[in-house]
Amino acid sequence: MRVAFLGLGRMGTPMAKRLAGAFEVSVYNRDRAKAEPFGALGARVTGSVREAVAGAELVVTMLADDAAEEALAFGSGGLLETLAAGAIHVATSTIGVATSDRLAAAHAAAGQGYVAAPVFGRPPAAEAGQLWILAAGPEAQVAACQPVFAALGQGVFPLGEKASTAHALKLAGNTLLVTVLEALSEAFAFGEKAGIAPETTLKVLNTALLKSPLAEAYGGAVVRGAFEPAGFALRLGLKDVSLALQAAEAFQAPLPIGSLLRDRLLAATAKGYGHQDLAALSRMSREAAGLEA
Amino acid sequence: MRVAFLGLGRMGTPMAKRLAGAFEVSVYNRDRAKAEPFGALGARVTGSVREAVAGAELVVTMLADDAAEEALAFGSGGLLETLAAGAIHVATSTIGVATSDRLAAAHAAAGQGYVAAPVFGRPPAAEAGQLWILAAGPEAQVAACQPVFAALGQGVFPLGEKASTAHALKLAGNTLLVTVLEALSEAFAFGEKAGIAPETTLKVLNTALLKSPLAEAYGGAVVRGAFEPAGFALRLGLKDVSLALQAAEAFQAPLPIGSLLRDRLLAATAKGYGHQDLAALSRMSREAAGLEA
Amino acid sequence: MRVAFLGLGRMGTPMAKRLAGAFEVSVYNRDRAKAEPFGALGARVTGSVREAVAGAELVVTMLADDAAEEALAFGSGGLLETLAAGAIHVATSTIGVATSDRLAAAHAAAGQGYVAAPVFGRPPAAEAGQLWILAAGPEAQVAACQPVFAALGQGVFPLGEKASTAHALKLAGNTLLVTVLEALSEAFAFGEKAGIAPETTLKVLNTALLKSPLAEAYGGAVVRGAFEPAGFALRLGLKDVSLALQAAEAFQAPLPIGSLLRDRLLAATAKGYGHQDLAALSRMSREAAGLEA
Amino acid sequence: MRVAFLGLGRMGTPMAKRLAGAFEVSVYNRDRAKAEPFGALGARVTGSVREAVAGAELVVTMLADDAAEEALAFGSGGLLETLAAGAIHVATSTIGVATSDRLAAAHAAAGQGYVAAPVFGRPPAAEAGQLWILAAGPEAQVAACQPVFAALGQGVFPLGEKASTAHALKLAGNTLLVTVLEALSEAFAFGEKAGIAPETTLKVLNTALLKSPLAEAYGGAVVRGAFEPAGFALRLGLKDVSLALQAAEAFQAPLPIGSLLRDRLLAATAKGYGHQDLAALSRMSREAAGLEA
């Protein structure tokens, strides 16, 4: 199978490497320097979307946000113009529901396929082919993606024919992740004022109650104050929660915790913490409790 | 060791049974019917606090709320009057920080011991001696409780000399638990409006992201609509979150998610769901999304 | 002065009538039936934007939302295409900051003027020429609008050269309005559970404390249950608060009360109250307190 | 009529002066220095509650909080012990509903009267006899207070036989006041990031929309940064909102804006602003927007 991979950032790079070992792969990245190393892996390094997708049956995108995905799809020389009829755009980026709907409609009108396939898992999981994949789109198109999914992930959750459903659930998941982080942060500040060290609060609550590796990972980063360099930048967390809230408004399904998170993340960004790791959200709870940074 | 156990409710009963198999135990319950079966287990069934604690080195209480704990301790014929000098009151009930502080001071003034030892775990864990115990109080007193803790739990977290610290952390934990339930409930309603069945949302988010048995248990109850009979009643969840917020005010450490939870739980109670399981909190998210009950 | 007026809804109709009495006016409305009566007032009734704005120095728009304003400006045959060089688009609609910025840039690029001039006041104030006008844009252009402002309002607040500033402040104002309504609604439900009739709560709080005609108007509508027909529809309140929150995100200035209001308005909409008057927001507080509708 | 006045703080002092000019008055204050000047006004300056209330038909209290009111009523030598049968305790302090209920029950059991009569208005209004009085209690007792109310206020709102109802409404009012302040503070920070000076935001929103002297007073203090000395201290605002929330829990009527306010006030207190004027609450919105103090 011939696969094009567009977007070689922190997640895209290890994902593309997995695919390069299994398929005939071409890669493209706006900053070509990140693409060059793929030549040594047997992939075709290209200088444009058009060149990358020529002859590809599947085109996987992993981009930073809606603006990047839209530019790459709708822009001049973009996927809508260059993708072959019958080829499938597999959007693994975390994008908004409205953008995903717009992509689905445009690709369908152009005789192209579109599958939404956002993933859960961080770069090491991507490297190990251990992502979890949320897949939605026309059944035959999703089926055509299975070999790629098998190379990338440890499991696929099929979510039906409407592609944007997968992005909706991904956004709900990221909101849940930020919720856990905020809840732990509040508990840490509360505990600290009660005389309990944050590492103790984390150990007790996660050993005796939550038992979640996610809480361990993010709570641990908070306890260590490991805010830079960012694994998952706080401003990206703000982007995802905002996208979830936009979808919530369209669906008429309020997310009150999500609203609270958005305001916290926004304040953190206004204070200059946007480039730090999401774990820096904990600074807001500390400051609100009058604790030193 | 001679141990008195006061309060034979859903949690107290299996805990007292564990102790009856290991120590010389006397039991007391306001409604004596629940105490009677302990005679067959070799325990001494008594009709008053005074009678129960006579000769006891440790007195374990597991009561529904602050009012019950205060009545039993400060009331006429209560622990303050009847506990022998040097004997220790081991408060495993989930009570407020101010009440715990008041008990600590009063027992100390009376020459009695006081250890706070709230637990995480539901009745089956209590039955299996698999609770987690948060223990705080004067070091020698906590040490004296270790045989009892060993019979009740799979682990003890020592939290220092100030007894109420253990209750503070227990309240933070219960707030975290309600947070997870609320976050899942919001995700379920959001997902449902996006076309995803709640069981799918739960499966995806807990398999790929949270991986928490707690989320599985509470989220599963929501998905099944298993609201009656209540395991952990919603009104008790409201009580605990309110106690956490009272402590948060005293500590000057805001818990904004806690505040949001209190309002949701309060509305659920006003609507008549207080006697249902905490999982019924999910009804609020469904109603706010215009979904049928 | 030759003035075109586009958008003859609840606010636009009385505003256009004021102008018809003072200037040479042409009118246009998508549904022409609402435009016809203006013939009797000496205005030129037209069937297209192009026809309406031909020869006009100022073009006043008063439309329902961003989509309508954008369609009328950017659509085929819209203002960008048809407005004469040097003529000014005076946007009195309540629209988002980003849309206002986009209009400003596009009109400037087309050699046309653009003044943002949203208003405070309800239809009777519009009829009496008693609106308050928030005006922003290039100084000379705002100056050119003064005769029109004088016919429409009792006062103009100049807000500087950046047009969208006026829309930002208008959105902040509408958020404040919804805040007052929500705060009163919460007080009414709280009071009712305390045994105080809502009309008494309103009378006491507004006589002794707030002394605001706005509170009197909206609080009175709540007390009377006057939800239909809508004066200012709840769904439009949701639109405005959402636009304020979008701007807040762009400005990095959180509006936590605004977030709470959005969720309440969204839930009210999901429950089917969106077409009712904004005063129906009070139903949410009543329901959360377990009070009958 | 013989009237005793207990509590000569910022509000009590001007109120007691009004009464000293109209009735036979005795005064008492914990710190006697504040009582001494009343000798020159013809009042009897006393050194104990017992001495002050001897022979009094009405005893007016104006104290800082529930603890002070409870100590003065229930403490040794307090009102319960010393008030003559048939004499009436008129509680003008802003206290909690539960405390007010407890006072009502205790006084009734002691054959004494109890009228709740909290007031709206600041010290200058107290000096001018222009307070607004919320009065509740047994009808005959409230009637007996009318001469005192006439000397203190410009109007009385009768709220029925249950005394605590008046305190409930007073707490709702103070919550509304803090809501207006928070809403303005959010609008100021939002406006400032949009390029609008806070004084302009205040002028526009209060001239064109809210038209409330309360908004003028508190918004003006924010604009001027007039935080010290405190007129109404922020920590007292926190106390009142917390009391409102306690009552809301008892009434089962959520106050979501109140919850948000509590967290903001609590964070402000944790940051060390509790002794400043309530207007300092605005600092939280500025900080959350990344604006300098």
Side-chain angles (χ1 to χ4, degrees), chain C residues 7-159:
Chain C
L8 300 168
R10 289 174 46 82
M11 284 297 289
T13 294
M15 289 168 71
K17 281 185 185 164
R18 297 283 310 175
L19 299 185
F23 307 101
E24 191 176 326
V25 168
S26 59
V27 296
Y28 167 74
N29 193 62
R30 205 169 43 175
D31 169 7
R32 188 173 174 134
K34 289 189 176 164
E36 294 295 358
F38 280 84
L41 302 174
R44 185 160 57 90
V45 179
T46 73
S48 70
V49 170
R50 184 180 304 274
E51 193 187 341
V53 309
E57 294 150 85
L58 297 187
V59 179
V60 182
T61 54
M62 177 46 102
L63 301 161
D65 54 26
D66 287 50
E69 188 82 29
E70 288 187 325
L72 191 138
F74 297 106
S76 170
L79 286 179
L80 268 299
E81 284 180 16
T82 59
L83 199 58
I88 303 170
H89 173 190
V90 186
T92 68
S93 321
T94 298
I95 56 174
V97 171
T99 298
S100 193
D101 281 336
R102 206 175 146 223
L103 286 166
H107 280 304
Q112 302 156 347
Y114 174 71
V115 168
V119 300
F120 283 116
R122 300 186 72 163
E127 205 164 329
Q130 294 295 307
L131 297 173
W132 290 98
I133 297 163
L134 282 53
E139 197 173 346
Q141 294 176 28
V142 173
C145 298
Q146 292 301 341
V148 159
F149 293 161
L152 293 176
Q154 62 180 301
V156 180
F157 296 103
L159 293 165

Side-chain angles (χ1 to χ4, degrees), chain A residues 238-239 242 245-246 248-249 252-256 259 262-263 266-267 269-270, chain C residues 238-239 242 245-246 248-249 252-256 259 262-263 266-267 269-270:
Chain A
L238 172 57
K239 171 196 73 109
S242 286
L245 291 172
Q246 283 172 28
E249 189 164 333
Q252 297 190 346
L255 297 175
S259 292
R262 196 192 78 120
D263 287 329
L266 187 53
T269 305
Chain C
L238 172 57
K239 172 196 71 108
S242 285
L245 290 171
Q246 283 173 28
E249 189 163 332
Q252 297 191 345
L255 297 176
S259 292
R262 195 192 78 120
D263 287 330
L266 188 53
T269 305

